[in-house]
Amino acid sequence: MTNTNVILDLPLVDECSLADRLHIQDSYTNDLGDAVNDDFYVDDDFDPEADFQRQLDRELQILDHQIADFESDPSEPHAGKGPPVYVGFDSEFLSGDKDTDNTVLSLQFYLVGECGVLTKIVYPSGDAKSERPSFYKTISRLIIEALETGIILEWPSRVFVCGFFLRIDLPAFADLVSFKNVLDSAGGRVTSINSEVEVAPDPEDLKRLLKNKSFIASDLNGMTRRFKVRFIDVGSHVAVGTSLAQMGDLIDLPKLLIPEGYSIERMDELLKSNKAAFEEYGLRDAEIAVKYFIRLLDFAEKHTGRRSLPATASGLGVRIFKSQLDVSGTDFNKAFGVGETSSTSWNNAKGNVITYKVKAPSDMRAIIEPFVASCYSGGRNECYAFGPTLLGVWNDFDLAGAYTTGLVDLRHIDYDNFKHTHEPADFVGHVLGFAYVEFEFPPEIRFPSLPVRGRNGGLFYPLTGKSYCTAPEIEVALNLGCKINIKHGLVIPWLDGDERLFEPYVTGIRKLRKSFVKGSIDELYAKLLGNSLYGKTAQGLKKKTVFDTKGMTSVELPHSELTNAAIAAHTTGFIRAVLSEQIAGVPSHRRVVSATTDGFITDADLSELDLSGPMAQRFQVLCNRVASDSPMLERKHRVRQIVAMKTRGQITGLTYDDEPLVLAKAGVSPNVPVAEHNDYMLNLFINRQADDMTQTRPFTPIRDQWIKNADVVRITREIRLNLEFDFKRKLLDPLMVGVADADHVSLQSVPWATAGEAEQARSFFDGWRRKRCLKTVQDWDDWDDMYQFSLIRTSLMVSGGKGFGIRATVKGVADVFRRLFLRAYTQGLCGLTRTMTYNQLAEWLTNQGYPTTADEVKNAKRAKFVEHAVPATSRVMQFASVLSNGFPSIEIHQFIKSN
């Protein structure tokens, strides 16, 4: 088909009136007739009347918008009334370092308007920061070009600039400093929350529109044109760790690959050699960002009735949740214990007093809030073994929808009628209770269930201690035979009825997810909405400092409108209780490798797990309420061998057929493809050395970026590799086990008596591991000798034993024992009598494998003997056996400190 557009000479809008519309339409009709009669269209299958009608409708549509715009009030700066415009934005650059700026290569824009798409690439005029493009000029010219080309028909009501990790690309604009303080920070990402950037196009650019007769825009009658820009980081609307490539796959828009022979680190080479491929690659990233955002707008409009998105996915979750409360007739303030008051203040901008409403916890909720917040803690995260396990079948079980299901446990709360109690029985059952307790578990309990917060905020689970905890945790502890003394207890009653505050939201999200294809963008976004709501109830309960991009200072993370200590503390406490009950019920002949918030790894089969406990039964009922007949436990992974390192540090030693690997990398970022991460970690762990370093490459902190007007670069830092055990538990039972064609020590664990013991052991180990790694049984014996002896030395020092005078050497604590024996022998202590000369004794000890000189024996006579100064380690007990055989009368107990 051959077709040539007819060029129509439209009059300027300021020369028109609404009455001119009919005249223009007649002109179009006449032009159409002339074109047909002159055989302008040469394709027999082409319908000139239909095509001309489409052109006519479009031109008249543009004209109508122009007339309405022209007749608006010229006394006010004019913001457009047209549909919003969406602009995907990305930049390409050569990365600098902490001391140098990035070299910006290009800025890519992918504009989506009501009538089509406009793409544009802008190149800086030079390498200097001052030669980078201006945001205001670039974005306004982009909008003007979209108007000229008919991609949009009038000044937009709003422009959305969408990117992925926007703060890394925004410095590509030379004038970021002029509007950066209008932007907000959310979760380390830059976005627009309660503010927008206002853009007024350059008058010279506006004149171009007038000349092209595409749009009326001049300084006629003082009229100006402005539009407002909102910045959206689409990374705030995906699960943590989701890449732009994964987002592209979800919307069937794959991220392009860099041509072979080129790399992301040297995009300048691609630009020089293949500019078309360079531009195609950059534009695709911008296209993914904006189309992903538009796709989420479709989701929001369909399921909330509003075509808008908050800055984060959790914000949309809050919107949906509150909307459901309204639909059900639930009073939000009453449900969350919120009071509303009026306040007045002087407003300089308005020049008068204004009255505004302030929401805060009600008086009764405010009374108990600080104590209840003390009972809020995170998940239960522990490692119960170190090194490779024996071969078997190791299962990774997760609680189904842990926190979202846990929210359903909450009925409506009667904040006004709380009561204080010291009775443990008051915390049993479906109770909203919080307590500060003193506790003691039976010594045989493998997995105590009451958390004790350490100095650095982490949770320990010792046999004895003091704990801020919740009612579900108290019930589990009582069922394990724990003795509990409630020092301060608080129970808040439920309101009458069994209505659950969060059930409509959770069930609604579950139904929504099931309506979508698993793994689709809609299903994953619905899942994200479900998981994110809980976090808003806990926001700000634990003091956390964040950088305020507007005030350019550090501030405490504020509470969200859903923040509620009772709701957050009960939810996390309940999930910890369910998890604790599960691992405590694992049969004694089975092992548990680790627990991480909502799951655990064990060699017990599902059929061996006890699902009859009160917490399991309660959780299962909630699962059934949310999704009928759904099991409370889901097996996520199954492997033949696990290598345990520390909390959040597990590797697969041997796979189970083709099932997914278990891999938690303990903070390490392997510089190999994802498919090779497990092998990388396995090799790194087995071959590690004490002085190994690893690189971290964090981005420039947002504080430095904003205060120093710095580019965002990767800052390479060398840190000491730490894949050693974290000593939240007490290790024992060393055994060498084969893994990946090597042997490595394997250890089990038991709970510490107190959290203080755990932190003390960790402190000693932090010193020991600076020169050693725990890889063999000999390493274990060396560590155990040093640790046990250090405990004794510390105890003697505390009790005033300044004259101890013996330090452990590289020979270990058995050598300390040898030197103490020499003192006892030469001084006739501990049941010993002299039957050998100094030379004979030295020779005998040397022959037994403990080298000794005659001078050492001679000097020992003048040194002070200290009782109970060596621990009962394996090497000490081996030497004790040698001495007992050689000196039957020796009182060994005088040397060894009993546990």
Side-chain angles (χ1 to χ4, degrees):
M1 180 181 71
T2 303
N3 178 19
T4 303
N5 288 332
V6 177
I7 306 300
L8 302 173
D9 186 17
L10 288 178
L12 296 180
V13 175
D14 56 345
E15 298 170 3
C16 297
S17 68
L18 290 172
D20 291 324
R21 195 178 191 282
L22 293 176
H23 172 71
I24 293 170
Q25 186 167 352
D26 289 340
S27 298
Y28 267 90
T29 305
N30 292 334
D31 288 340
L32 170 62
D34 293 341
V36 173
N37 292 332
D38 292 342
D39 295 324
F40 191 84
Y41 296 95
V42 297
D43 191 335
D44 293 339
D45 295 329
F46 183 71
D47 184 348
E49 291 191 26
D51 183 65
F52 229 86
Q53 186 62 49
R54 284 193 294 272
Q55 292 189 53
L56 175 61
D57 290 343
R58 181 177 174 82
E59 296 291 349
L60 290 176
Q61 186 181 15
I62 294 173
L63 184 63
D64 285 343
H65 285 305
Q66 292 179 8
I67 292 172
D69 184 39
F70 180 73
E71 294 182 344
S72 62
D73 185 357
S75 65
E76 296 290 334
H78 181 70
K81 302 296 182 182
V85 173
Y86 306 100
V87 180
F89 166 58
D90 181 59
S91 69
E92 296 298 335
F93 55 86
L94 296 181
S95 184
D97 56 36
K98 65 178 182 179
D99 299 317
T100 60
D101 295 327
N102 295 332
T103 300
V104 178
L105 302 175
S106 64
L107 293 79
Q108 293 77 234
F109 302 90
Y110 193 98
L111 182 149
V112 179
E114 58 183 309
C115 299
V117 167
L118 173 66
T119 61
K120 192 172 187 65
I121 297 179
V122 178
Y123 293 96
S125 58
D127 292 341
K129 267 192 171 184
S130 59
E131 296 176 297
R132 296 175 182 178
S134 159
F135 168 74
Y136 290 98
K137 282 185 175 294
T138 302
I139 198 69
S140 63
R141 288 175 179 174
L142 191 66
I143 296 301
I144 289 171
E145 186 174 343
L147 285 162
E148 289 178 325
T149 55
I151 299 301
I152 60 176
L153 302 179
E154 57 183 315
W155 280 113
S157 57
R158 184 168 282 106
V159 175
F160 293 87
V161 174
C162 310
F164 183 78
F165 200 25
L166 264 179
R167 79 176 183 93
I168 202 172
D169 293 309
L170 285 176
F173 295 112
D175 51 358
L176 172 61
V177 66
S178 67
F179 65 90
K180 68 180 183 180
N181 297 114
V182 181
L183 304 178
D184 299 281
S185 174
R189 296 180 180 272
V190 169
T191 186
S192 298
I193 297 179
N194 296 316
S195 58
E196 298 165 312
V197 176
E198 188 171 73
V199 176
D202 190 292
E204 292 301 316
D205 293 329
L206 292 175
K207 288 181 181 179
R208 193 176 78 200
L209 278 177
L210 184 61
K211 290 177 182 177
N212 290 342
K213 303 175 185 179
S214 301
F215 191 77
I216 175 62
S218 71
D219 59 355
L220 180 68
N221 296 322
M223 188 181 297
T224 60
R225 292 297 180 269
R226 300 182 181 183
F227 56 89
K228 294 182 177 181
V229 177
R230 287 196 64 196
F231 291 88
I232 301 295
D233 193 323
V234 290
S236 295
H237 288 272
V238 293
V240 174
T242 303
S243 66
L244 186 66
Q246 291 170 314
M247 293 166 63
D249 291 340
L250 286 172
I251 57 174
D252 296 323
L253 193 64
K255 181 177 170 66
L256 299 180
L257 298 177
I258 296 174
E260 188 174 350
Y262 298 94
S263 69
I264 189 68
E265 289 79 16
R266 292 305 307 266
M267 290 294 286
D268 58 325
E269 296 175 352
L270 179 61
L271 174 59
K272 183 178 179 180
S273 302
N274 191 340
K275 187 176 182 180
F278 173 89
E279 293 188 340
E280 186 180 17
Y281 176 87
L283 281 171
R284 175 56 61 89
D285 286 358
E287 182 183 3
I288 291 173
V290 69
K291 288 188 174 179
Y292 196 92
F293 177 68
I294 292 172
R295 185 67 180 76
L296 295 184
L297 283 176
D298 295 341
F299 179 99
E301 183 176 33
K302 181 178 180 180
H303 299 292
T304 71
R306 294 172 58 186
R307 191 172 180 78
S308 67
L309 281 176
T312 62
S314 59
L316 182 61
V318 172
R319 178 193 295 175
I320 295 173
F321 172 67
K322 294 186 69 177
S323 175
Q324 288 177 331
L325 291 184
D326 291 340
V327 170
S328 66
T330 300
D331 185 315
F332 173 83
N333 289 351
K334 183 178 180 181
F336 276 77
V338 172
E340 195 171 273
T341 59
S342 296
S343 183
T344 58
S345 65
W346 177 261
N347 185 285
N348 286 328
K350 295 185 177 181
N352 58 20
V353 171
I354 61 171
T355 300
Y356 53 93
K357 291 182 179 180
V358 177
K359 286 187 175 183
S362 63
D363 292 342
M364 295 303 283
R365 176 186 153 190
I367 290 173
I368 60 175
E369 191 88 348
F371 172 69
V372 176
S374 298
C375 300
Y376 165 71
S377 298
R380 179 166 190 170
N381 300 299
E382 291 178 295
C383 193
Y384 304 113
F386 181 69
T389 64
L390 297 175
L391 297 183
V393 178
W394 296 89
N395 302 295
D396 181 12
F397 293 109
D398 273 6
L399 298 176
Y403 283 151
T404 51
T405 304
L407 283 172
V408 182
D409 196 55
L410 287 148
R411 291 159 56 187
H412 286 259
I413 302 168
D414 184 357
Y415 295 96
D416 292 337
N417 292 300
F418 62 83
K419 70 172 185 176
H420 294 284
T421 177
H422 294 280
E423 294 297 326
D426 289 340
F427 294 85
V428 175
H430 190 209
V431 176
L432 185 63
F434 310 93
Y436 176 60
V437 306
E438 191 171 30
F439 65 89
E440 181 180 356
F441 284 91
E444 68 274 10
I445 294 298
R446 292 198 296 168
F447 304 105
S449 61
L450 291 176
V452 176
R453 193 168 292 118
R455 290 192 302 268
N456 295 323
L459 297 183
F460 295 91
Y461 288 82
L463 290 168
T464 64
K466 295 178 180 178
S467 172
Y468 287 95
C469 54
T470 60
E473 292 168 290
I474 291 174
E475 183 170 357
V476 171
L478 290 172
N479 291 338
L480 292 176
C482 183
K483 297 177 182 177
I484 294 179
N485 176 20
I486 296 179
K487 313 289 284 186
H488 182 73
L490 181 75
V491 171
I492 310 173
W494 306 113
L495 291 172
D496 291 340
D498 192 41
E499 184 180 358
R500 304 302 174 101
L501 181 58
F502 291 92
E503 186 171 10
Y505 180 83
V506 175
T507 55
I509 291 294
R510 283 289 185 95
K511 290 178 181 176
L512 193 60
R513 285 184 61 187
K514 285 191 173 182
S515 69
F516 301 126
V517 175
K518 187 173 180 61
S520 67
I521 179 176
D522 290 325
E523 194 269 341
L524 291 175
Y525 196 56
K527 179 181 179 180
L528 182 62
L529 294 178
N531 292 337
S532 64
L533 187 69
Y534 153 75
K536 303 303 286 185
T537 70
Q539 182 176 310
L541 286 180
K542 296 298 181 186
K543 288 187 178 181
K544 179 182 179 181
T545 300
V546 295
F547 182 72
D548 176 18
T549 51
K550 292 180 177 177
M552 300 280 282
T553 186
S554 294
V555 297
E556 283 190 13
L557 180 67
H559 288 191
S560 78
E561 57 185 322
L562 296 191
T563 298
N564 184 297
I567 290 173
H570 178 80
T571 303
T572 55
F574 175 53
I575 297 305
R576 288 195 303 273
V578 176
L579 186 62
S580 295
E581 184 181 77
Q582 282 305 293
I583 61 177
V586 170
S588 59
H589 67 286
R590 295 298 190 184
R591 301 287 187 181
V592 181
V593 170
S594 66
T596 307
T597 305
D598 61 351
F600 59 102
I601 299 174
T602 177
D603 61 345
D605 187 70
L606 179 61
S607 62
E608 297 177 281
L609 300 180
D610 184 3
L611 304 182
S612 65
M615 295 303 125
Q617 291 289 299
R618 197 155 114 202
F619 192 82
Q620 183 61 65
V621 168
L622 298 178
C623 290
N624 293 338
R625 291 182 75 130
V626 172
S628 180
D629 298 324
S630 59
M632 64 169 284
L633 284 177
E634 302 171 336
R635 185 173 62 195
K636 296 292 187 180
H637 307 89
R638 179 166 54 176
V639 299
R640 290 289 186 188
Q641 185 181 40
I642 290 283
V643 178
M645 299 178 290
K646 59 200 295 188
T647 300
R648 298 186 183 275
Q650 290 81 40
I651 317 166
T652 295
L654 188 64
T655 60
Y656 187 103
D657 296 336
D658 295 327
E659 296 206 22
L661 302 174
V662 171
L663 179 59
K665 293 171 285 190
V668 175
S669 299
N671 56 349
V672 297
V674 173
E676 301 173 20
H677 279 195
N678 191 81
D679 289 342
Y680 177 94
M681 290 300 304
L682 196 55
N683 180 68
L684 186 67
F685 179 73
I686 291 172
N687 297 302
R688 71 194 187 281
Q689 299 296 323
D691 57 355
D692 281 352
M693 304 295 288
T694 186
Q695 284 188 350
T696 63
R697 300 186 65 221
F699 288 106
T700 303
I702 191 169
R703 165 188 284 277
D704 290 350
Q705 180 186 3
W706 245 236
I707 291 178
K708 299 176 182 178
N709 295 321
D711 287 347
V712 178
V713 300
R714 287 280 196 180
I715 303 172
T716 301
R717 293 175 179 164
E718 290 277 330
I719 62 171
R720 187 179 294 274
L721 178 68
N722 180 15
L723 300 181
E724 305 299 323
F725 193 65
D726 52 28
F727 281 85
K728 284 190 172 184
R729 303 262 296 183
K730 183 177 181 180
L731 293 176
L732 42 72
D733 298 337
L735 175 69
M736 293 301 290
V737 173
V739 58
D741 299 323
D743 290 326
H744 193 285
V745 71
S746 175
L747 294 129
Q748 303 306 314
S749 73
V750 294
W752 291 103
T754 67
E757 285 185 354
E759 294 195 306
Q760 186 179 47
R762 179 183 289 178
S763 297
F764 284 132
F765 190 75
D766 283 343
W768 186 84
R769 71 179 177 85
R770 294 181 68 83
K771 296 182 179 180
R772 300 289 303 275
C773 289
L774 200 53
K775 298 171 65 174
T776 66
V777 172
Q778 182 176 341
D779 293 331
W780 165 257
D781 287 337
D782 289 347
W783 150 249
D784 194 42
D785 279 358
M786 188 281 289
Y787 167 62
Q788 300 289 352
F789 182 61
S790 296
L791 289 179
I792 293 174
R793 279 185 56 83
T794 300
S795 176
L796 289 171
M797 295 287 283
V798 169
S799 62
K802 296 181 180 180
F804 185 23
I806 292 185
R807 293 182 177 274
T809 67
V810 293
K811 297 179 181 180
V813 73
D815 192 63
V816 174
F817 192 179
R818 180 188 67 86
R819 284 178 279 163
L820 285 173
F821 165 72
L822 294 179
R823 296 181 185 187
Y825 183 84
T826 56
Q827 297 171 32
L829 303 175
C830 303
L832 294 167
T833 57
R834 292 180 55 181
T835 59
M836 300 181 188
T837 66
Y838 291 168
N839 286 333
Q840 289 173 332
L841 181 61
E843 183 179 357
W844 182 83
L845 286 170
T846 300
N847 290 337
Q848 298 299 318
Y850 300 90
T852 306
T853 65
D855 285 342
E856 282 186 287
V857 181
K858 179 179 178 181
N859 294 333
K861 188 172 183 178
R862 297 188 297 271
K864 180 180 179 181
F865 176 78
V866 181
E867 292 183 339
H868 309 306
V870 291
T873 65
S874 61
R875 289 172 177 169
V876 164
M877 298 313 294
Q878 183 178 352
F879 185 49
S881 177
V882 170
L883 293 179
S884 296
N885 289 334
F887 303 91
S889 65
I890 190 172
E891 298 170 353
I892 288 293
H893 65 276
Q894 294 288 81
F895 295 87
I896 299 175
K897 182 176 177 62
S898 59
N899 293 329

